[in-house]
């Protein structure tokens, strides 16, 4: 295990109002070893929701936590923020993150995920020239490696082979971060993680779509025949991996992160039906009857799986949450937070979905 430990002082979290970013901010501010400040830069797209951070704002707002509404596509603004808040650490979550949306409208993915990342890299290059006490941590996805067949796992040496506009834009951003490290000496680390789940996930991704539709007794849209496989990781386990990499990861290195928890979609939806039925004192069979096979996603990646030996052995990281416990906690969270759910339900996203998806 590496001995090095970086001090994180003025941390710029991009995309901190989204699902993983908001959970990461909560995780970081509750970490005993962290004494710095968090600057949450987010443009509040449909996926950005400050209600995700209400508790954080109440406890730390104006002292250790600051929200800055800004768009990473705006270089001048990003550069000004770097200077004004004397940023020494970046953890870059901000992205367009949903594969289905990238199929319907890829341009926003290019603009935010690629150009936005370049803007952050350029601000870091300008403001951090000659410094080695700084770090740019780039949060990426295992989808950059493409799709696996029935066997095999991704690791840090797997060649890039992205298949969707989303994964291609993330792959591009990974390459750009490495290029800025190689060419300009920018200190960086990258993580490529598998599918996350947990509280505050926007209900366009599979697990919250299914939970909310079960509660509403709406059809549960399973793409294709439901045989696609994803490796699921509880969001706090992703946050703990990122924090370890930021503190102790070797500069210029990539770390893959996963749940070692592969599930076929159809089986997972079945499990969710059981949990939701138990937690609502309902009938699992009634929920199972809601399963509806819908037209498959074009170019749907069959399977993702991660070999995270390097992250575990170098950084001493491991997953802390079992899937059984994490899924039940997630279901309970959606059931126990009707205000959050209802605000999303009444929002623009439904209209967008209705306009763009005939299958829902
Ligand atoms: P999300 O869609 O829930 O949140 C994205 C956030 O970025 C939102 O708050 C949004 O407002 C903000 N944002 C979007 N465009 C912006 C812009 N131009 N300027 C500033 N802010 C902008 O996404 P998520 O699921 O939390 O994913 C976060 C990151 O983690 C992404 O980079 C994603 O690629 C990566 N990732 C996600 C998963 C997953 O399972 N969700 C897995 C691995 C990696
Ligand atoms: P998703 O949560 O969109 O994540 P990703 O595409 O990044 O892996 O989808 C997870 C899996 O669930 C994926 O194989 C597509 C499938 N899926 C459905 O079957 N139905 C749905 O309504 C959604 C959103 C996804």
């Amino acid at each position: 295990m590496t001995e090095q430990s970086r001090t994180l002082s003025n941390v710029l979290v991009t995309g901190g109002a989204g699902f993983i970013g908001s959970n990461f901010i909560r995780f970081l501010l509750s970490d005993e070893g962290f004494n710095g400040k968090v600057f949450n830069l987010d443009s509040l797209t449909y996926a950005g929701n400050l209600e995700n951070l209400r508790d954080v704002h109440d406890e730390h707002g104006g002292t250790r936590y600051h929200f800055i509404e800004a768009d990473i596509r705006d270089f001048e603004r990003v550069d000004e923020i770097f200077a004004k808040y004397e940023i020494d650490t970046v953890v870059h979550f901000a992205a367009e993150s949903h594969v289905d949306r990238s199929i319907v409208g890829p341009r926003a993915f290019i603009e935010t995920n690629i150009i936005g990342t370049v803007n952050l890299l350029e601000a870091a290059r300008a403001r951090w020239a000659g410094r080695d006490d700084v770090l740019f941590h780039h949060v990426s996805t295992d989808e950059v490696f493409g799709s696996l067949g029935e066997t095999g796992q991704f690791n840090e040496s797997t060649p890039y082979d992205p298949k969707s506009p989303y994964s291609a834009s993330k792959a591009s951003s990974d390459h750009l971060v490495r290029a800025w490290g190689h060419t300009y000496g920018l200190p960086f680390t990258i993580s490529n993680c598998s599918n996350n789940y947990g509280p505050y996930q926007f209900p366009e991704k599979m697990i919250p779509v299914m939970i909310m539709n079960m509660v509403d007794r709406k059809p549960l849209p399973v793409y294709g025949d439901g045989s696609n496989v994803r490796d699921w990781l509880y969001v706090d386990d992703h946050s703990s991996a990122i924090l370890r990499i930021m503190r102790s990861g070797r500069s210029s290195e990539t770390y893959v992160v996963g749940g070692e928890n592969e599930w076929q979609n159809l089986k997972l939806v079945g499990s969710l039906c059981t949990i939701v039925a138990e937690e609502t004192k309902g009938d699992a069979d009634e929920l199972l009857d809601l399963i509806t096979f819908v037209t498959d996603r074009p170019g749907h990646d069959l399977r993702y799986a991660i070999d995270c030996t390097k992250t575990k052995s170098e950084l001493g990281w491991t997953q802390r949450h079992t899937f059984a416990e994490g899924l039940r906690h997630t279901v309970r969270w959606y059931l126990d937070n009707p205000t959050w759910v209802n605000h999303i339900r009444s929002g623009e996203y439904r209209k967008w979905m209705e306009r763009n998806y005939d299958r829902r």
Side-chain angles (χ1 to χ4, degrees), residues 11-31 34 36-42 49-50 52-57 59-61 64-68 91 93 235-236 239-240 242-243:
V11 180
L12 183 69
V13 179
T14 72
F19 163 50
I20 308 176
S22 61
N23 278 290
F24 177 79
I25 289 175
R26 185 174 293 101
F27 187 90
L28 179 61
L29 284 168
S30 65
D31 183 88
F34 177 68
K37 291 182 181 169
V38 170
F39 299 91
N40 173 13
L41 184 171
D42 199 298
N49 184 352
L50 289 179
N52 296 359
L53 287 161
R54 190 169 275 178
D55 55 334
V56 167
H57 176 82
E59 192 177 346
H60 301 290
R64 298 183 65 205
Y65 169 73
H66 303 263
F67 173 67
I68 307 162
V91 50
F93 292 97
V235 63
D236 281 353
S239 293
S240 73
I242 292 172
L243 188 51

Side-chain angles (χ1 to χ4, degrees), residues 202-220:
F202 194 81
E204 62 182 354
K205 306 278 166 55
M206 199 251 242
I207 288 180
V209 163
M210 297 300 169
I211 297 172
M212 282 175 57
N213 284 15
M214 284 178 208
V215 171
D216 294 344
R217 296 291 188 274
K218 286 189 169 167
L220 309 176

Side-chain angles (χ1 to χ4, degrees), residues 26-166:
R26 185 174 293 101
F27 187 90
L28 179 61
L29 284 168
S30 65
D31 183 88
E32 283 181 3
F34 177 68
N35 301 310
K37 291 182 181 169
V38 170
F39 299 91
N40 173 13
L41 184 171
D42 199 298
S43 65
L44 303 181
T45 67
Y46 76 94
N49 184 352
L50 289 179
E51 286 187 41
N52 296 359
L53 287 161
R54 190 169 275 178
D55 55 334
V56 167
H57 176 82
D58 288 348
E59 192 177 346
H60 301 290
T63 53
R64 298 183 65 205
Y65 169 73
H66 303 263
F67 173 67
I68 307 162
E69 187 169 352
D71 194 317
I72 60 169
R73 292 171 299 180
D74 179 351
F75 172 73
E76 306 284 317
R77 184 87 171 99
V78 168
D79 187 51
E80 175 196 303
I81 290 163
F82 260 76
K84 182 169 176 189
Y85 300 103
E86 299 179 356
I87 299 303
D88 55 52
T89 311
V90 171
V91 50
H92 177 30
F93 292 97
E96 289 291 341
S97 69
H98 189 38
V99 174
D100 290 334
R101 281 180 185 258
S102 83
I103 294 168
V104 175
R107 191 168 296 279
F109 288 71
I110 308 308
E111 288 168 357
T112 284
N113 300 1
I114 304 179
I115 309 292
T117 301
V118 169
N119 288 337
L120 287 161
L121 290 168
E122 278 295 82
R125 177 162 83 94
R127 300 291 170 185
W128 291 350
R131 286 180 66 176
D132 59 8
D133 59 337
V134 288
L135 181 73
F136 190 109
H137 180 74
H138 179 58
V139 180
S140 192
T141 165
D142 61 351
E143 300 187 29
V144 299
F145 302 123
S147 179
L148 292 165
E150 301 294 329
T151 57
Q153 291 181 314
F154 301 132
N155 64 32
E156 289 79 2
S157 331
T158 305
Y160 275 50
D161 188 19
K163 307 279 192 195
S164 71
Y166 164 67

Side-chain angles (χ1 to χ4, degrees), residues 252-324:
S252 311
E253 289 289 317
T254 294
Y255 295 87
V256 299
V257 181
E260 298 176 298
N261 177 42
E262 290 180 49
W263 281 73
Q264 276 198 334
N265 292 339
L266 187 57
K267 226 178 138 210
L268 173 49
V269 174
S271 272
L272 277 171
C273 288
T274 308
I275 297 172
V276 170
E278 284 168 4
E279 294 295 328
T280 56
K281 311 223 178 321
D283 179 0
D285 288 336
E286 216 177 276
L287 298 179
L288 286 166
D289 282 345
L290 296 172
I291 291 176
T292 308
F293 294 96
V294 298
T295 317
D296 206 357
R297 170 187 285 171
H300 195 172
D301 288 344
L302 177 68
R303 177 173 163 262
Y304 307 137
I306 295 274
D307 170 6
C308 41
T309 307
K310 173 180 168 182
T311 308
K312 289 187 153 181
S313 60
E314 262 192 34
L315 304 177
W317 172 81
T318 194
Q319 309 89 348
R320 298 257 171 243
H321 299 269
T322 65
F323 202 39

